[in-house]
């Protein structure tokens, strides 16, 4: 459905689980103006750098516009007839567990619902999992063990009412910056204290009162110590504990814990415990640093134990709070998108729940046990047990642990279908059938954010080519498989009503997820649906859970669990002495299929890197800007070294975003072992062991171009710029013919070459010109190339005669590396304003340049620039 130009439409951001509201205004030419929705309860008008740049990520470049079978374009009838036939054939010949779906938190709830219904109710298997398994499965397991259901107790308003906020394994400033700004605003207004628990120093530490730099993976030991301190300090809530079972066993485990494994000083631990104990209103926010572990579920329950024991749950300004990584991770959990769940938080292995759902759907078959979780799903594909696999909106050939093995498994599977917006992903290139899906701003449905708020994501642009909505593709496939009536959907509103009605069954079983109050929405009501927090039923409307001490176990009580610290699954040894921590960076999202299109989002950190402590760098002989080769028992990677004390000795931090399309040697999950939590099935993405060494190339290069490049070297990383593209290069074979290499790299055989060489230093530089304009330039040297990269990135398409100097001519502006991606403000611009304007604070810089005034995630960087100035030190 297209929307008239200049008409502003409310929708939801497609990035993290904050669930920000956006206002979209089509320009009539395929573009959008995007701003934050001041009326949305999640963000109140704020957006982060990624959200602000959404309008720059649209366009047809790289879009999959028609179905493909074995690399050849075809029509929808042919493609879906083949998909239906192959899935039915697999089930008939090999049984229902020979097929599988792998889904994504990028899917809308209506899409997820149809996929879950098709797989569990009609194909008859529970082999349907999602990339949320890699993010939040440990939280789901922890919630279910403690509460009886996967329930987030609190709301975002609690962040503004808390007197103490603890960030455990969450770099909120970069990964959920709008929530972080809400916390900082509350801190300014009411003095909220902030504690960060993280092995490395992150942007979230900038405003923290306390940073507990514990050893990676030791969170359970720290929270066990807190539980023991609560008991010893008389801070247990005896009245609330009447609603809780398991206190004795949990305390026994807590007192047996050895807090020394955290690596923290005793005084640090005591100060944390004392602060937590004497602060009544405490919110503990946790995310991937807790979840992505072979003991992730236990870490979650260690946190929940403390809040249950102290009765600090369900009340205003109190509670444990899981923040999700994807826009609809919660929606996927609600419809049963995980292999061990049933729809609407019902239990797959509960015969009453299973029978009720089967009757509601009119389903011919329902699995009686959990299906294959993500790691096991791809392992089954590699072993030939899975005969047909459908992957939707995700890139497991990059994001799964042991990614090389997963890539081989997808390739080996008899029949693989990929639904996506592009064919240019590592996973899509392995598919037998590619199906063109509608993208954000083209599809219509709902998403649920981290605090249970359901928001509408609305279509404002028509899907290009033959692209279709995911629910429509899945329903069409279901009809072709023979289940016409069950999948006779005409709109997402119809699917939402069915989902809401099904949730009434969950409500009748006394479960938490009940939105049956929305089951009678008309199409127009659905179109105008405002953000609403579940539950929405006759019994209950939104709000917090568990203040009344009523839980969802059969006896109505919560459970505290005895948990103990367990070391990461992979033990360090002489061959692999480093612990590898993985995570996100500020301005990129997952595998960059969307954010990689926005030049300003690549301006901050344009190349994959590994953070290494100065002591480790000295020992390895690594200098700034050297390349590091990391190796594990499962793969290798090459990344740029960043020497920083933000990580601890023996630890490395690497970002997750680069792929075979953008930097093949930086596919980080090739290094990560497929070790999983025995309860949640979540992989240990933050505990791999690796070896590190300086990677010495024969030559290094930096290139810019107005058009896409085709590097053929051992190391390369490409990023978008406002003028085209930039690339870092390095090779093992000596450069023989610079001009021939450049013409091949840039695909500009007719351009005029301008060459400059310094044989003594081994430096060579080349620019290609057409019609008086610089089309491309390549700079090479025997060591990492020293040029003004951010200046050169803007040169293609210009007439800059001085391009081969690598620096701007006098009077030509050089903003420097991007610091504030929201407003595209560079470091040099900020430094000049500080010096020329006498700016003395981050607020001063914001007033002068806007930098840091939106999502605020660049404020630590601005503060660091301020600290460099001599006049700043003199003034202090």
């Amino acid at each position: 459905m297209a929307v008239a130009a200049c008409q502003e439409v409310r929708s939801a951001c497609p990035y993290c689980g904050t669930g920000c509201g956006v206002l979209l205004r089509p320009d009539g030419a395929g573009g959008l103006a995007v701003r934050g929705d001041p009326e949305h309860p999640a963000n109140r008008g704020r957006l982060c750098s990624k959200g602000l740049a959404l309008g720059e990520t649209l366009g047809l470049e790289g879009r999959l516009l028609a179905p493909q079978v074995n690399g050849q374009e075809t029509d929808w009838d042919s493609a879906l007839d083949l998909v239906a036939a192959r899935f039915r054939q697999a089930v008939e010949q090999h049984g229902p567990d020979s097929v599988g779906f792998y889904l994504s938190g990028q899917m809308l709830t209506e899409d997820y619902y149809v996929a879950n219904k098709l797989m569990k109710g009609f194909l008859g298997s529970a082999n349907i999992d999602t990339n949320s398994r890699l993010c939040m499965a440990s939280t789901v397991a922890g919630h279910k063990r403690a509460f009886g259901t996967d329930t987030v107790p609190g709301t975002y308003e609690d962040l503004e009412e808390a007197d103490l906020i603890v960030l455990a394994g969450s770099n909120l400033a970069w990964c959920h910056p709008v929530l972080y700004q809400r916390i900082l605003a509350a801190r300014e207004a009411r003095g909220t204290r902030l504690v960060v628990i993280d092995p490395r120093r992150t942007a979230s530490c900038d405003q923290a009162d306390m940073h507990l730099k514990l050893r990676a993976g030791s969170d359970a030991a720290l929270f066990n110590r807190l539980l023991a301190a609560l008991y010893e300090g008389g801070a247990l809530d005896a009245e609330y504990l009447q609603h809780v079972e398991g206190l004795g066993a949990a305390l026994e485990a807590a007192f047996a814990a050895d807090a020394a494994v955290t690596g923290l000083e005793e005084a640090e631990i005591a100060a944390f415990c004392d602060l937590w104990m004497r602060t009544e209103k405490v919110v503990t926010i946790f995310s991937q640093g807790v979840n992505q572990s072979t003991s992730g579920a236990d870490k979650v329950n260690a946190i929940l134990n403390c809040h249950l024991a102290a009765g600090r749950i369900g009340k205003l300004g109190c509670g444990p709070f899981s923040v999700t990584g994807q826009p609809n991770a919660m929606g996927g959990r609600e419809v049963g998108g995980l292999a061990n769940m049933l729809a609407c938080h019902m239990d797959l292995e509960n015969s009453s729940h299973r029978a009720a759902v089967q009757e509601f759907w009119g389903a011919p078959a329902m699995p009686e046990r959990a299906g294959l979780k993500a790691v096991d799903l791809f392992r089954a594909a590699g072993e030939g047990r899975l005969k047909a696999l459908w992957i939707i909106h995700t890139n497991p050939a990059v994001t799964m642990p042991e990614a090389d093995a997963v890539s081989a498994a997808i390739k080996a599977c008899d029949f693989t279908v990929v639904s996506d917006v592009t064919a240019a992903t590592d996973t899509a290139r392995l598919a037998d059938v590619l199906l063109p899906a509608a993208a954000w701003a083209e599809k219509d449905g709902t998403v649920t954010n981290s605090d249970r708020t359901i928001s509408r994501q609305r279509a404002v642009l028509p899907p290009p080519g033959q692209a279709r909505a995911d629910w429509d593709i899945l329903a069409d496939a279901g009809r072709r498989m023979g289940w016409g009536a069950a999948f006779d959907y005409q709109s997402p509103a119809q699917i939402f009503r069915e989902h809401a009605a099904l949730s009434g069954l969950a409500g009748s079983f006394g479960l938490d997820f009940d939105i049956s109050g929305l089951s009678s929405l008309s199409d127009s009501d659905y179109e105008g649906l405002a953000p609403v927090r579940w539950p929405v039923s006759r019994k209950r409307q939104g709000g917090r859970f568990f203040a009344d001490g009523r839980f969802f176990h059969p006896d109505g009580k919560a459970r505290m669990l005895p948990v103990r610290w367990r070391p990461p699954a992979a033990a360090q040894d002489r061959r692999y002495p480093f612990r590898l921590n993985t995570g996100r960076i500020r301005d990129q999202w997952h595998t960059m299929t969307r954010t990689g299109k926005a030049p300003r989002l690549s301006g901050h950190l344009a190349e994959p890197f590994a953070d290494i402590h100065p002591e480790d760098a000295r020992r390895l002989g690594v200098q700034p800007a050297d390349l590091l080769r990391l190796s594990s028992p499962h793969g290798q990677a090459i990344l740029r070294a960043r020497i920083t004390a933000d990580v601890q000795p023996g630890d490395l931090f690497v970002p997750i975003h680069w792929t075979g399309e953008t930097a093949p040697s930086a596919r980080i999950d090739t290094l990560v072992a497929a070790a999983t939590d025995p309860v949640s099935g979540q992989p240990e993405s933050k505990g791999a062991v690796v070896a590190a060494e300086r990677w010495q190339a024969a030559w290094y290069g930096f290139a810019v171009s107005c058009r896409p490049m085709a590097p053929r070297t051992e190391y390369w990383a490409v990023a978008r710029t406002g003028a085209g593209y930039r690339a870092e290069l390095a090779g093992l074979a000596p450069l023989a013919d610079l001009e021939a290499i450049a013409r091949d790299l840039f695909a500009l055989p007719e351009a005029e070459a301008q060459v400059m060489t310094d044989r003594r230093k081994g430096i060579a530089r080349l620019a290609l010109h057409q019609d008086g304009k610089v089309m491309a330039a390549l700079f090479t040297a025997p060591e990492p190339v020293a040029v003004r990269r951010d200046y050169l990135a803007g040169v293609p398409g210009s007439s800059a005669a001085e391009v081969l100097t690598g620096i701007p001519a006098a009077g030509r502006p050089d903003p420097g590396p991007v610091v504030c991606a929201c407003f595209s403000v560079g470091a040099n611009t900020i430094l000049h304003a500080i010096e020329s304007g006498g700016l003395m604070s981050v607020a001063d810089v914001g007033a002068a340049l806007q930098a840091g005034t939106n999502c605020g995630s660049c404020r630590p960087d601005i503060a660091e620039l301020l600290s460099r100035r001599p006049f700043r030190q003199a003034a202090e």
Side-chain angles (χ1 to χ4, degrees):
M1 178 184 69
V3 173
C6 299
Q7 178 183 346
E8 204 165 46
V9 175
R10 284 192 157 86
S11 189
C13 178
Y15 291 124
C16 76
T18 300
C20 294
V22 292
L23 293 172
L24 309 179
R25 188 187 301 274
D27 63 8
L32 284 178
V34 181
R35 68 185 180 97
D37 183 354
E39 296 183 18
H40 196 285
N43 60 313
R44 302 169 185 167
R46 282 191 180 274
L47 290 178
C48 71
S49 60
K50 297 182 289 290
L52 278 182
L54 275 167
E56 300 169 28
T57 67
L58 306 173
L60 297 184
E61 181 184 0
R63 284 299 296 271
L64 179 63
L65 298 176
Q68 294 181 13
V69 175
N70 297 324
Q72 301 298 311
E73 286 195 3
T74 188
D75 57 80
W76 273 106
D77 283 338
S78 299
L80 287 181
D81 279 347
L82 177 62
V83 171
R86 292 297 297 269
F87 271 81
R88 286 299 299 262
Q89 181 184 41
V91 171
E92 289 166 3
Q93 294 182 359
H94 304 283
D97 287 336
S98 68
V99 299
F101 287 176
Y102 187 62
L103 311 179
S104 165
Q106 292 289 305
M107 295 174 71
L108 305 184
T109 298
E110 293 76 4
D111 307 325
Y112 252 132
Y113 179 87
V114 177
N116 188 52
K117 179 179 178 180
L118 177 58
M119 178 54 77
K120 288 188 177 130
F122 290 81
L123 288 169
S125 173
N127 288 345
I128 176 171
D129 216 42
T130 162
N131 58 12
S132 295
R133 178 71 61 190
L134 312 183
C135 301
M136 306 309 302
S138 293
T139 288
V140 175
H143 283 170
K144 290 186 71 174
R145 293 198 299 183
F147 307 146
T149 56
D150 175 22
T151 310
V152 174
T155 73
Y156 289 162
E157 287 73 22
D158 293 323
L159 308 184
E160 291 153 333
E161 296 295 332
D163 293 320
L164 171 64
I165 290 179
V166 178
L167 300 181
S170 171
N171 183 10
L172 208 69
W174 274 20
C175 300
H176 300 84
V178 169
L179 292 183
Y180 188 70
Q181 290 308 308
R182 288 184 66 163
I183 291 170
L184 293 188
R187 178 183 173 85
E188 181 71 20
R190 59 195 312 275
T192 307
R193 307 292 294 275
L194 180 64
V195 174
V196 175
I197 301 171
D198 200 305
R200 66 188 181 104
R201 181 174 178 81
T202 69
S204 298
C205 300
D206 183 57
Q207 296 292 318
D209 298 283
M210 186 184 299
H211 175 203
L212 298 179
K213 208 170 184 177
L214 80 178
R215 288 198 186 108
S218 61
D219 309 73
L222 178 63
F223 281 95
N224 264 343
R225 176 60 181 277
L226 173 60
L227 179 61
L230 291 171
Y231 175 81
E232 291 175 327
L236 300 187
D237 187 331
E239 183 177 350
Y240 195 81
L241 282 167
Q242 296 178 43
H243 307 290
V244 179
E245 294 288 342
L247 171 64
L251 281 172
E252 183 179 352
F255 277 106
D258 181 6
V261 300
T262 64
L264 299 172
E265 297 290 337
E266 179 61 31
E268 293 179 280
I269 298 174
F272 167 64
C273 293
D274 181 63
L275 179 60
W276 206 100
M277 188 164 40
R278 60 184 170 81
T279 307
E280 183 62 30
K281 291 185 174 182
V282 182
V283 171
T284 304
I285 298 174
F286 57 96
S287 190
Q288 316 299 31
V290 167
N291 287 294
Q292 291 180 331
S293 168
T294 49
S295 58
D298 282 355
K299 293 179 186 179
V300 171
N301 284 110
I303 293 170
L304 303 185
N305 281 349
C306 295
H307 281 272
L308 289 168
R312 295 175 191 177
I313 186 169
K315 304 170 187 175
L316 184 66
C318 290
F321 205 115
S322 159
V323 289
T324 54
Q326 295 192 80
N328 205 28
M330 291 287 282
R333 286 149 65 174
E334 291 157 10
V335 301
L338 291 165
N340 54 315
M341 300 175 70
L342 197 55
C344 303
H345 289 187
M346 286 182 274
D347 190 343
L348 182 65
E349 298 183 359
N350 180 306
S351 59
S352 298
H353 293 182
R354 194 169 59 246
V357 175
Q358 183 170 2
E359 181 182 359
F360 182 90
W361 280 342
M366 289 283 284
E368 297 183 358
R369 63 181 186 276
L372 297 173
K373 300 180 179 74
V375 167
D376 291 331
L377 187 73
F378 288 101
R379 189 171 287 144
E383 294 170 354
R385 291 182 285 125
L386 212 65
K387 305 299 182 181
L389 174 64
W390 195 339
I391 301 168
I392 303 179
H393 289 304
T394 188
N395 196 5
V398 173
T399 59
M400 287 290 297
E402 298 182 24
D404 285 344
V406 169
S407 181
I410 295 169
K411 189 175 182 179
C413 188
D414 288 356
F415 185 69
T416 300
V417 183
V418 171
S419 298
D420 211 331
V421 301
T422 177
T425 73
D426 298 54
T427 300
R429 295 188 188 282
L430 302 171
D432 298 295
V433 176
L434 284 174
L435 302 177
W440 174 81
E442 301 161 3
K443 58 186 182 179
D444 207 45
T446 58
V447 293
T448 306
N449 74 354
S450 294
D451 83 336
R452 297 180 275 110
T453 296
I454 299 170
S455 297
R456 288 277 281 111
Q457 205 177 95
R458 294 181 170 89
V460 296
L461 298 173
Q466 298 180 52
R468 293 166 62 177
D470 295 299
W471 66 264
D472 187 30
I473 298 169
L474 287 157
D476 197 346
R479 293 192 294 270
R480 292 169 194 264
M481 291 177 191
W483 301 299
F487 295 95
D488 186 23
Y489 297 119
Q490 305 302 314
S491 70
Q494 182 184 0
I495 300 166
F496 182 85
R497 285 192 290 267
E498 183 177 316
H499 171 46
L502 178 57
S503 76
L505 288 179
S508 71
F509 284 117
L511 299 179
D512 59 336
F513 183 76
D514 186 349
I515 57 169
S516 57
L518 302 173
S519 62
S520 60
L521 289 180
S522 66
D523 286 0
S524 60
D525 290 337
Y526 177 81
E527 178 56 34
L529 182 66
V532 57
R533 182 180 294 123
W534 66 259
V536 186
S537 68
R538 276 183 260 178
K539 295 181 180 178
R540 186 163 186 166
Q541 301 290 317
R544 296 168 187 80
F545 281 94
F546 309 141
D548 57 6
R550 295 168 58 189
F551 294 88
F552 297 100
H553 285 293
D555 62 1
K557 293 187 176 184
R559 301 286 187 270
M560 290 176 63
L561 275 75
V563 296
R564 291 174 174 82
W565 170 79
R566 297 198 308 275
Q572 289 169 286
D573 60 30
R574 292 180 180 179
R575 294 172 300 164
Y576 305 107
F578 286 94
R579 182 71 63 189
L580 187 70
N581 186 3
T582 67
R584 293 176 172 140
I585 59 175
R586 191 186 74 188
D587 299 326
Q588 296 295 354
W589 175 253
H590 284 198
T591 58
M592 298 195 290
T593 49
R594 181 183 291 114
T595 52
K597 293 184 175 183
R600 61 170 146 157
L601 297 181
S602 294
H604 180 228
L605 294 168
E607 182 184 16
F609 61 87
D611 282 345
I612 183 170
H613 191 273
E615 292 177 13
D616 294 323
R618 283 193 295 272
R619 183 168 49 82
L620 296 175
V622 172
Q623 300 296 319
D626 277 351
L627 289 170
L628 275 180
R629 176 165 56 194
L630 308 184
S631 57
S632 82
H634 311 286
Q636 293 191 9
I638 302 172
L639 309 102
R640 190 72 64 182
R642 289 203 326 175
I643 301 173
T644 173
D646 288 346
V647 295
Q648 299 185 48
D651 287 357
L652 300 172
F653 172 80
V654 295
I656 62 173
H657 307 290
W658 279 268
T659 72
E661 305 294 318
T662 51
S665 73
R667 293 170 59 248
I668 293 306
D669 279 298
T670 62
L671 300 168
V672 176
T676 60
D677 183 296
V679 179
S680 71
Q682 181 153 358
E684 188 154 65
S685 299
K686 296 181 180 293
V689 292
V690 297
E693 61 182 338
R694 183 175 181 269
W695 190 74
Q696 179 62 59
W699 62 275
Y700 299 80
F702 176 72
V704 294
S705 174
C706 62
R707 55 197 297 178
M709 293 180 253
R712 304 178 195 276
T713 59
E714 286 83 1
Y715 173 82
W716 60 267
V718 174
R720 291 294 296 265
T721 69
Y725 298 82
R726 61 186 284 180
E728 299 287 346
L729 310 163
L732 293 175
L735 286 172
D737 187 336
L738 181 67
E739 185 171 336
I741 288 171
R743 292 191 186 280
D744 180 62
L745 173 66
F746 302 125
L748 290 166
E750 305 301 324
E752 178 185 351
Q754 175 190 8
V755 181
M756 182 180 78
T757 61
D758 184 331
R759 295 184 185 279
R760 183 176 61 84
K761 294 182 178 179
I763 293 172
R765 299 179 175 188
L766 177 147
L768 296 178
H769 301 260
Q770 278 184 348
D771 302 323
K773 303 290 186 184
V774 178
M775 303 300 291
L778 173 62
F779 303 78
T780 69
E783 298 296 334
V785 174
V787 291
R788 295 281 186 88
R789 283 164 165 73
D790 298 282
Y791 155 69
L792 289 170
V795 164
S798 76
S799 57
E802 76 285 354
V803 59
L804 293 187
T805 67
I807 59 175
R812 187 183 289 270
D814 175 19
V818 169
V819 172
C820 176
C822 293
F823 298 110
S824 299
V825 184
N828 291 347
T829 302
I830 294 171
L831 288 170
H832 176 74
I834 291 170
E835 193 159 354
S836 63
L839 308 182
M840 301 297 291
S841 67
V842 173
D844 289 345
V845 173
L849 302 172
Q850 288 189 285
T853 61
N854 183 56
C855 75
S857 56
C858 64
R859 288 179 185 173
D861 295 326
I862 296 172
E864 195 276 329
L865 293 175
L866 281 160
S867 70
R868 295 185 193 176
R869 310 314 300 157
F871 67 81
R872 173 72 172 172
Q873 295 169 6
E876 291 174 344

